[in-house]
Amino acid sequence: MPNEHCLIVHAAGKQLDLLRGEASRIAKGKQINWWTDRADIGTRFCFEDAKAKESFALTCDGFGVRCRDG
């Protein structure tokens, strides 16, 4: 996909479900698409907008979840 902005998140179980909900909320607010893919270690969350990715990174930090550009 062109213009994808991704973060690899290190979370599992309910924490991962919570982050999926937050990603959906962020994307819906910005009226963009988002998706997840498996990564070697963790889950890749991708957004069509760089600002949505930044918002999601702040959300991860707020929950104490490690993430990195991916």
Side-chain angles (χ1 to χ4, degrees):
M1 284 244 159
N3 298 326
E4 63 183 41
H5 305 277
C6 301
L7 287 172
I8 296 176
V9 174
H10 303 278
K14 290 186 181 202
Q15 195 173 43
L16 186 58
D17 291 341
L18 178 65
L19 289 173
R20 283 188 183 115
E22 289 298 311
S24 179
R25 182 187 60 76
I26 290 167
K28 185 176 182 180
K30 296 189 177 294
Q31 298 180 340
I32 61 166
N33 289 323
W34 73 282
W35 60 97
T36 62
D37 290 320
R38 293 179 96 173
D40 289 338
I41 298 175
T43 302
R44 182 177 290 114
F45 282 77
C46 297
F47 300 87
E48 291 180 331
D49 178 75
K51 290 191 185 279
K53 174 189 162 187
E54 291 170 16
S55 293
F56 186 70
L58 290 173
T59 299
C60 290
D61 287 344
F63 288 136
V65 174
R66 290 187 315 135
C67 65
R68 63 178 171 86
D69 283 337

